[in-house]
Amino acid sequence: SANRATILKVELKMKKLSLALTFAAMFHFLSKSESFIGRFAMKNKSCRLGMSSMTSTKRKRGKSNKEMDKVLEKYEPVIGIEIHVQLLTNSKAYCSCKSLYAPNEPNSNVCPVCMGEPGALPVPNRKVIELAAKTALALNCKISDSLKWDRKNYFYPDTPKNYQITQYDNPIGSNGTVQLPFGGKVGIQRLHMEEDSAKMNHQNSESSSGSLSGSLYSLIDFNRAGIPLAEIVSEPDITSGLSAAEYGKELQRILRYIGASDGNMAEGSMRLDVNVSIREKGSNELRNKVELKNLNSFRAVQESTDHEIIRQAKWHPKVPYTIPRINFYFTKVV
């Protein structure tokens, strides 16, 4: 037993020595490198306050940053965001098909209702209404006393019924606000329920992103058609790409916290459409907006919004109005 006690003491001393050497090595590394983290924190007061993500665009690198500073001296961006989020339900919005999107088994979770067959009657999913109302309350919205659904008619291959079941003039939630973590708030104009469209896979496309441009044909997977969506429309209270990204992040945190959506942008559970226009400082003019469609990362939100602000500023003195358009933003992978 004495030998056993001696061995345990030696092992304990070795562990303490190993821990001390580890800390010494870490301290030596930080000393030699002059503590990159420490220097960054000392040079950036906002980082010490825990506000690095809300600093001005001046901290962005590159030429575009200087262009942005010059634009903001004269112009004021006016930005509103539409966010589509898939709600976490077991079945689709208006039928009993599974809402699980299975890309490896295309067109396996479909029925006459979500395929828009003649005579098929949709039935609202109770869970969809509950999650939409829960989200509206989390966003400080006023809940409507009654519910009504509308047809949004448009013809596109990914819409099997040739219309979308949505809410038009009587959304389930309206007049809300989102408080951003580091100051400021964004108004919520409305939150309404609708259904997702099918997924189109463009084949033999010239683009590595699989876009429609140059594709020879497209395949359609209707597993996603009818999956419940909540569309959240903000007021035009956002003034930069950075604040647009921060608003999206905060909304994602809220949705995940209340269990309404997983907010997985890579898989399309959360998609952002950013509407951008600019006006001269001090002006109340609202020019035509340009919509940046289906952004699926916060980096893309920030970069594309700032790029669009600079693009519009170059054209502002030359034309009396902005031409309405829809832009798609692609990130180049090197």
Side-chain angles (χ1 to χ4, degrees):
S1 60
N3 292 337
R4 175 67 176 169
T6 303
I7 292 172
L8 289 174
K9 287 181 181 179
V10 172
E11 287 179 349
L12 182 61
K13 287 181 180 179
M14 292 298 294
K15 286 182 180 179
K16 288 182 178 179
L17 180 61
S18 176
L19 189 62
L21 289 173
T22 301
F23 278 116
M26 290 173 61
F27 180 79
H28 177 74
F29 171 77
L30 291 174
S31 299
K32 286 292 184 181
S33 63
E34 296 181 342
S35 180
F36 170 78
I37 298 174
R39 285 185 290 117
F40 184 84
M42 291 302 295
K43 289 183 179 181
N44 296 275
K45 183 178 179 181
S46 58
C47 178
R48 300 200 304 273
L49 296 175
M51 295 175 63
S52 59
S53 60
M54 290 298 293
T55 53
S56 69
T57 52
K58 290 182 179 181
R59 286 184 48 196
K60 282 200 68 180
R61 303 185 302 271
K63 182 180 177 181
S64 62
N65 182 39
K66 295 180 181 179
E67 288 182 317
M68 178 62 72
D69 292 341
K70 190 174 181 180
V71 167
L72 295 179
E73 290 176 1
K74 185 176 180 181
Y75 298 108
E76 175 190 4
V78 181
I79 303 167
I81 300 180
E82 303 167 15
I83 298 182
H84 296 83
V85 293
Q86 292 182 352
L87 299 175
L88 287 176
T89 60
N90 293 325
S91 57
K92 293 186 179 181
Y94 306 109
C95 66
S96 59
C97 291
K98 292 180 180 179
S99 60
L100 176 66
Y101 176 61
N104 296 327
E105 300 177 16
N107 301 313
S108 56
N109 296 329
V110 295
C111 74
V113 175
C114 54
M115 290 296 290
E117 297 292 340
L121 297 177
V123 178
N125 185 334
R126 180 187 181 93
K127 188 66 175 178
V128 174
I129 300 172
E130 290 177 357
L131 290 178
K134 191 176 182 180
T135 304
L137 288 172
L139 301 179
N140 305 299
C141 290
K142 178 184 176 182
I143 304 299
S144 176
D145 296 330
S146 60
L147 292 179
K148 179 174 74 74
W149 281 265
D150 303 275
R151 286 188 178 193
K152 179 181 177 182
N153 293 283
Y154 65 96
F155 302 92
Y156 203 71
D158 63 4
T159 307
K161 297 189 293 291
N162 287 329
Y163 65 85
Q164 180 191 50
I165 302 176
T166 182
Q167 293 183 294
Y168 177 60
D169 58 346
N170 187 28
I172 189 171
S174 59
N175 300 323
T177 56
V178 172
Q179 189 73 38
L180 299 182
F182 305 111
K185 63 180 180 180
V186 177
I188 301 296
Q189 184 185 108
R190 58 183 287 143
L191 182 151
H192 62 266
M193 298 173 285
E194 57 186 28
E195 58 182 335
D196 212 341
S197 58
K199 183 174 180 60
M200 298 187 67
N201 298 296
H202 306 297
Q203 304 298 309
N204 297 335
S205 173
E206 294 176 351
S207 171
S208 59
S209 62
S211 66
L212 181 61
S213 175
S215 63
L216 300 180
Y217 61 95
S218 300
L219 303 176
I220 305 178
D221 182 2
F222 287 99
N223 281 342
R224 199 177 72 177
I227 287 181
L229 291 179
E231 180 174 351
I232 304 166
V233 183
S234 81
E235 298 287 356
D237 296 335
I238 301 167
T239 57
S240 71
L242 183 62
S243 56
E246 285 300 323
Y247 165 72
K249 290 177 184 177
E250 181 61 17
L251 208 57
Q252 184 188 61
R253 282 191 286 265
I254 292 172
L255 291 164
R256 287 175 172 174
Y257 180 78
I258 65 175
S261 175
D262 60 17
N264 191 327
M265 300 183 73
E267 295 180 0
S269 298
M270 181 175 176
R271 308 186 293 272
L272 285 76
D273 301 337
V274 182
N275 298 284
V276 183
S277 67
I278 63 171
R279 60 188 177 191
E280 292 187 0
K281 281 192 171 181
S283 171
N284 294 323
E285 175 194 19
L286 288 175
R287 292 161 68 97
N288 292 328
K289 65 181 183 292
V290 170
E291 183 176 15
L292 307 174
K293 195 76 173 171
N294 286 337
L295 301 172
N296 63 355
S297 75
F298 297 123
R299 177 184 175 184
V301 169
Q302 180 175 345
E303 291 182 352
S304 62
T305 301
D306 288 344
H307 180 272
E308 180 59 26
I309 291 170
I310 294 170
R311 189 192 71 82
Q312 289 190 28
K314 292 178 180 178
W315 285 95
H316 195 285
K318 302 176 183 178
V319 293
Y321 59 89
T322 301
I323 301 174
R325 57 190 282 180
I326 295 176
N327 286 355
F328 293 90
Y329 181 77
F330 300 102
T331 303
K332 184 178 180 180
V333 179
V334 180

